[in-house]
Amino acid sequence: MPNSSYDALVVSETDKNNFSIKVQSKDISDLPEGDLLIRVHYSSLNYKDALSASGNRGVTRHYPHVPGIDAAGVVAESSNPLFRLGDQVLACGFDIGMNTAGGFGQFIRIPAEWALPCPQDLGLRDSMIYGTAGFTAAQSVKRLLDFPVVPGKGKILVTGATGGVGSIAVALLKHLGYKLTAVSGKPQAAEFLTQLGAEEIITRQQAADYSGKFLLKEKWAGAVDTVGGEILATAIKSTVYGGAVTCCGNVASPDLPLSVYPFILRGVSLLGIDSAQCPIHIRKKIWQKIAGDWRIENLESLVTECGLQELPTHIERMLQGRHTGRVIVNLL
Ligand SMILES: NC(=O)c1ccc[n+]([C@@H]2O[C@H](COP(=O)([O-])OP(=O)(O)OC[C@H]3O[C@@H](n4cnc5c(N)ncnc54)[C@H](OP(=O)(O)O)[C@@H]3O)[C@@H](O)[C@H]2O)c1
C-alpha cells in the first residue's frame, strides 16, 4: 500500500456558482472504488479540464472535484489480472476528470477497462504530450484517411490550429504528406504553425462567412474542425464535391448555422468525433499508430511543462483562448 496522502488540484464551490482552485493534500481513501490504483506521473491540460475547473456543470456535476481527463502513470494496486503492480498505463477519457477524480492528482482509482498499457515506444511523458487532444487529432485524421480523403486530393483546413487538437492535427497531417491551411486567431503564432507544417494561415474572420450563401467556392478536400459555429459551417460550405469534414469541438460555438445543400448537392460528409467513449479496440489501434508510424518528430516545440501549482494560470489562459500547443503536468 503506497503512502496514503497525496497532492491534487482541487476545485471547490465557495458559494453558489463561485469556484476556487488550489493544491490540497488528499487521502487515497477518498478516491472512488475501482480495481486499479494508479500513481500518476504526468497529466495534460485539455479544454474539458478548463471547463471542469471553472465550474461547468455540463462537464462536472459535483464539487469539490479534481479535474484532469488524462493520466499516465504506474499501477500501484490492481485487482484485475490484466494489470500488475508497476505496469505503465494510460488512462484517458471515459469519466476520468469529469465526475471521477482525475489526473490533476498524484493518484487516481479507476475501473481497469478505462486503462491501456502505455505503448513502450512512447513512454509516459510523451503520451501526455498527445493526451486526449492528440488522440482526438489522430482520430480525426484517421476518419479522413479511411473516408477516404487522402494526401494529394487537395488542401485540408484545420481550425483552432494553435490549440491542443489543432496543433497536433497540423503536425500529423503534415507528417502524412497532406497540404494544409490553418485557421488561427493568433497572428503571433504564424511561425509556430509554419514550422509545424501549415502552408497557409488564415484568420478566424477569413474563415467565417456571414454572407448567408448556402454554398461557397470549393476550396478544401477535407477539414479538421475543433471550434464549431460559423467557422465549421463555412468549412462545410467550402468543401469540394465528395469531401469530408470532422467535427470534435465547440470552443467558438455549439451551433451549426447551415442548410442541407452542402450535403445534398455536393455529397459532403460531416464526421463526428468522440474520444471519451471511443471503444477500447479502436483506442488501442490509434495509440499504436501514434507511437508507431504516426509519431511526430518535433513534438517538444508544442510543449509547456508545469507542476500543479502553475496549472491554474494555464487553465485561465486556455479559457481566454490565449494558449498555444500542449500543456503537460508533471506530478512526480
Ligand atoms: N469530441 C471529443 O472527444 C473531443 C476531444 C478533445 C477536445 N475536444 C474539443 O475540441 C475543442 C478543442 O480542444 P483543445 O483541447 O484543442 O482546446 P484548446 O487547446 O483550448 O484549443 C482551442 C483553440 O481554438 C481556438 N479558439 C479559441 N477560442 C475561439 C473562438 N472563440 N473562435 C474560434 N476559435 C477559437 C484557439 O486557436 P487559434 O487561436 O489558433 O484560433 C484555441 O487555441 C474543444 O471544444 C474541446 O472540448 C473534443
Side-chain angles (χ1 to χ4, degrees):
M1 175 74 180
N3 217 339
S4 74
S5 74
Y6 68 94
D7 287 342
L9 191 72
V10 181
V11 182
S12 310
E13 189 164 16
T14 47
D15 54 71
K16 191 144 180 58
N17 289 330
N18 278 321
F19 293 85
S20 76
I21 179 163
K22 54 177 176 260
V23 179
Q24 288 179 13
S25 181
K26 304 267 295 171
D27 196 277
I28 286 176
S29 61
D30 299 337
L31 288 170
E33 301 272 292
D35 38 11
L36 220 50
L37 179 70
I38 299 169
R39 168 64 170 95
V40 181
H41 288 198
Y42 290 96
S43 181
S44 85
L45 177 61
N46 293 278
Y47 194 72
K48 216 184 228 179
D49 303 320
L51 295 178
S52 170
S54 54
N56 185 308
R57 304 270 183 200
V59 178
T60 300
R61 286 189 303 277
H62 305 293
Y63 294 87
H65 172 65
V66 178
I69 63 172
D70 285 338
V74 169
V75 173
E77 280 176 10
S78 169
S79 54
N80 185 298
L82 288 178
F83 294 98
R84 284 182 312 187
L85 208 69
D87 284 354
Q88 293 201 333
V89 290
L90 289 185
C92 303
F94 296 102
D95 193 49
I96 302 167
M98 294 181 66
N99 290 293
T100 300
F104 296 168
Q106 289 174 312
F107 282 92
I108 57 171
R109 193 187 281 116
I110 57 168
E113 304 82 66
W114 295 358
L116 281 180
C118 179
Q120 259 188 1
D121 297 339
L122 204 54
L124 297 177
R125 184 177 180 278
D126 277 10
S127 71
M128 286 295 100
I129 301 179
Y130 289 94
T132 290
F135 179 82
T136 306
Q139 255 187 313
S140 307
V141 171
K142 186 168 184 321
R143 290 293 297 280
L144 287 184
L145 265 174
D146 291 347
F147 185 73
V149 175
V150 290
K153 267 208 173 171
K155 278 191 178 175
I156 307 295
L157 185 75
V158 179
T159 68
T162 65
V165 181
S167 58
I168 295 194
V170 168
L172 181 55
L173 288 163
K174 169 72 178 173
H175 177 77
L176 296 175
Y178 286 93
K179 298 206 176 309
L180 57 109
T181 295
V183 180
S184 179
K186 302 187 188 80
Q188 71 279 14
E191 196 185 333
F192 168 79
L193 287 171
T194 307
Q195 277 176 4
L196 275 187
E199 296 204 327
E200 182 191 22
I201 299 159
I202 61 174
T203 62
R204 293 181 197 164
Q205 289 72 20
Q206 289 170 309
D209 177 87
Y210 291 94
S211 67
K213 289 182 182 162
F214 291 142
L215 289 168
L216 297 165
K217 193 172 162 218
E218 293 175 55
K219 284 188 190 164
W220 320 116
V224 172
D225 179 67
T226 70
V227 303
E230 289 289 353
I231 292 179
L232 172 57
T234 305
I236 294 169
K237 291 188 221 175
S238 314
T239 294
V240 300
Y241 190 93
V245 176
T246 66
C247 161
C248 75
N250 60 355
V251 284
S253 168
D255 297 334
L256 187 51
L258 198 62
S259 74
V260 296
Y261 293 116
F263 308 115
I264 67 172
L265 296 181
R266 288 198 182 148
V268 170
S269 292
L270 183 58
L271 309 175
I273 304 292
D274 168 62
S275 62
Q277 299 297 326
C278 174
I280 210 91
H281 67 280
I282 301 178
R283 251 172 224 269
K284 277 187 179 159
K285 273 193 194 147
I286 292 178
W287 277 109
Q288 274 160 11
K289 293 297 272 179
I290 288 172
D293 56 347
W294 285 15
R295 186 83 179 260
I296 301 162
E297 314 285 299
N298 49 350
L299 265 189
E300 282 300 329
S301 68
L302 297 178
V303 178
T304 306
E305 184 168 332
C306 73
L308 287 178
Q309 295 289 356
E310 302 92 62
L311 192 48
T313 309
H314 294 289
I315 290 171
E316 198 48 44
R317 283 176 67 84
M318 181 171 263
L319 287 170
Q320 294 165 357
R322 291 196 295 126
H323 113 114
T324 296
R326 297 282 294 139
V327 173
I328 61 168
V329 190
N330 185 335
L331 294 114
L332 285 169

